[in-house]
Amino acid sequence: MPWATTLILILAGLCGSSLGQYNEEEDLAWLQYYLRQSRASSYNYVPYYEEEESPAYAYSYPSATDTEPEPEPEPQQAAPWRCPQECDCPPNFSSAMYCDTRNLRYLPFVPSRMKYVYFQNNLITSIQEGAFDNATELEWLALHNNQIGSDKMGKRVFGKLRRLERLYMNNNNLTRLPSPLPRSLRELHLSYNQISKVPSNALEGLENLTALYLSHNFIFEMGASLKGLSSLILADLSYNNLRKVPDGLPPSLEQLYMEYNYINAIPDDYFRVSPRLLYVRMSHNSLTNQGLSSNTFNSSSILELDLSYNRLQKIPRVNTNLENLYLQGNQINEFSISSFCSVVDVMNYSRLQVLRLDGNEIKRNAVPPDAPLCLRRATVIEI
């Protein structure tokens, strides 16, 4: 039996590790890693997700005061099992690489076995062409909270990542959407950038995308970029410069957030093409009754509708299935019961539970006498 294998077995018996997770090709590399780490303080690792969906981890960096730093490997010469010296690759989670919060100004080499890579909270300004060509198995890529600019990214930097599901690039200096993006993508996080326009074909082919985060940018035009996203469930376009709503929504959409824009009109039947739509937030826009048709919000699927802080003078007509309606901070001066119930009787009533009309011009004595019959489910009515 080779001396290296014998020594590995002895070490494994001492530390309780299983050699089942290592193949013969990686034995020597694992031994070198173990000996190097045994001279440094250890860290504890618990997988977690960076945002609500990403696995969290907690660790302390090894102290390497008594060891000489290894030279940075060249990408083309690096062995597939090696971990860059700038990062941590926990042995018990060999497909993850943690390079976050280390003041990095460049992207280290990514070994081919990696599926989850974390580069967030650094000072990275660019992504060179071919940076991820070796790591084609990547599923999660976290690049948020850096200084990456669109003009300093390779033209096809994500082109070979055919299994990538989640891409985090929020809080950077992007002025346009990365392109092309992998068709496998399920979540795209681009909030807090400097994007001003989303061309109609920018998201073309992303049929698996379920969540799109574009809030806190400078977007003034979306075109029909959402229309072909057949799996999209959540679209966050809040805190932008939109003057009009996107041209067409996908039928799969359930959550639409467009608050803090400059939208003043919505086409008739705009929301009916999305029969699963549950939550619509359009507060802090410039909506007026003249920019709405009588049935704009009369969609049977919507459960929560936020139209607060607009310029409405009348309560728009809503469906009886609506449960929460927020209209505070408008210019409404009358309480029209027909906005909630076209017919008021024992069998016809609204399912509304929360109605906010505070901060308007309406007076309490303006509530019609048949309001309790129509709004019998309401637990909160603020005027």
Side-chain angles (χ1 to χ4, degrees):
M1 180 179 297
W3 69 270
T5 305
T6 304
L7 184 54
I8 291 172
L9 290 172
I10 294 173
L11 290 172
L14 293 174
C15 64
S17 300
S18 172
L19 292 179
Q21 59 181 318
Y22 303 99
N23 55 41
E24 294 180 0
E25 184 182 5
E26 295 180 339
D27 283 346
L28 185 56
W30 180 86
L31 174 60
Q32 293 173 344
Y33 175 86
Y34 179 85
L35 291 176
R36 185 169 65 253
Q37 292 298 95
S38 66
R39 294 195 298 270
S41 59
S42 61
Y43 58 85
N44 295 323
Y45 166 80
V46 180
Y48 87 105
Y49 286 74
E50 179 59 25
E51 299 192 5
E52 290 185 358
E53 308 87 351
S54 71
Y57 58 91
Y59 56 84
S60 60
Y61 301 121
S63 173
T65 55
D66 59 340
T67 60
E68 292 294 328
E70 297 181 4
E72 179 185 354
E74 293 294 331
Q76 63 272 20
Q77 298 176 354
W81 58 80
R82 291 289 297 276
C83 182
Q85 64 177 359
E86 305 91 341
C87 308
D88 286 331
C89 305
N92 59 335
F93 193 21
S94 60
S95 60
M97 184 171 82
Y98 299 99
C99 312
D100 57 303
T101 321
R102 301 171 192 230
N103 292 322
L104 295 180
R105 297 179 181 273
Y106 61 92
L107 285 175
F109 169 77
V110 182
S112 58
R113 72 176 186 273
M114 294 304 168
K115 295 183 179 180
Y116 314 96
V117 178
Y118 301 90
F119 291 116
Q120 72 270 22
N121 304 324
N122 280 296
L123 303 172
I124 300 169
T125 59
S126 63
I127 305 177
Q128 65 273 23
E129 191 71 57
F132 306 113
D133 285 2
N134 183 65
T136 56
E137 301 296 311
L138 277 181
E139 296 179 11
W140 296 48
L141 179 55
L143 290 161
H144 51 289
N145 297 329
N146 277 285
Q147 301 173 15
I148 302 170
S150 294
D151 295 334
K152 295 185 178 182
M153 289 180 57
K155 293 182 179 179
R156 299 187 61 84
V157 72
F158 304 121
K160 294 186 178 181
L161 303 182
R162 298 180 179 178
R163 297 190 178 184
L164 190 67
E165 294 185 358
R166 290 171 174 84
L167 176 59
Y168 298 85
M169 293 197 72
N170 37 302
N171 283 286
N172 275 283
N173 297 326
L174 299 178
T175 55
R176 58 181 178 271
L177 267 66
S179 180
L181 290 167
R183 293 176 177 264
S184 56
L185 210 58
R186 295 177 60 85
E187 291 186 14
L188 180 58
H189 299 255
L190 295 172
S191 299
Y192 292 94
N193 277 283
Q194 301 171 24
I195 300 169
S196 59
K197 185 179 180 180
V198 181
S200 293
N201 62 348
L203 302 169
E204 187 174 1
L206 301 185
E207 298 178 355
N208 294 307
L209 194 68
T210 60
L212 175 63
Y213 299 90
L214 284 169
S215 68
H216 295 87
N217 277 280
F218 302 101
I219 301 171
F220 66 89
E221 184 178 345
M222 290 287 298
S225 55
L226 302 182
K227 196 170 185 179
L229 303 178
S230 56
S231 300
L232 192 66
I233 294 176
L234 184 152
D236 187 354
L237 311 176
S238 59
Y239 293 89
N240 277 287
N241 294 330
L242 291 173
R243 262 64 180 178
K244 57 177 295 189
V245 293
D247 296 333
L249 299 177
S252 57
L253 197 64
E254 296 181 8
Q255 303 176 51
L256 178 62
Y257 306 134
M258 292 193 290
E259 62 265 37
Y260 288 92
N261 278 284
Y262 300 92
I263 300 168
N264 56 24
I266 302 175
D268 192 18
D269 296 331
Y270 180 72
F271 299 108
R272 291 195 178 186
V273 298
S274 301
R276 301 179 183 178
L277 192 59
L278 300 173
Y279 307 101
V280 176
R281 296 179 184 172
M282 299 196 67
S283 66
H284 296 273
N285 275 279
S286 302
L287 291 173
T288 64
N289 291 98
Q290 290 72 30
L292 306 175
S293 73
S294 59
N295 287 309
T296 299
F297 299 110
N298 190 11
S299 173
S300 60
S301 65
I302 299 178
L303 298 180
E304 181 175 292
L305 177 61
D306 189 351
L307 299 175
S308 59
Y309 300 99
N310 278 279
R311 300 176 183 175
L312 300 174
Q313 295 180 324
K314 296 181 180 180
I315 301 174
R317 185 178 180 184
V318 296
N319 195 272
T320 54
N321 289 328
L322 188 68
E323 295 182 356
N324 300 290
L325 177 59
Y326 303 96
L327 290 167
Q328 68 269 25
N330 278 277
Q331 302 169 12
I332 299 172
N333 53 27
E334 64 177 42
F335 193 112
S336 52
I337 200 66
S338 60
S339 297
F340 308 102
C341 300
S342 55
V343 177
V344 182
D345 57 31
V346 176
M347 301 299 296
N348 296 282
Y349 56 91
S350 171
R351 276 73 176 172
L352 204 64
Q353 299 176 18
V354 175
L355 173 61
R356 288 198 57 181
L357 286 165
D358 46 308
N360 281 279
E361 299 175 9
I362 194 171
K363 300 185 183 300
R364 288 182 176 273
N365 58 10
V367 179
D370 52 353
L373 186 59
C374 170
L375 302 175
R376 68 185 71 174
R377 291 278 189 90
T379 57
V380 176
I381 298 179
E382 293 188 17
I383 299 178

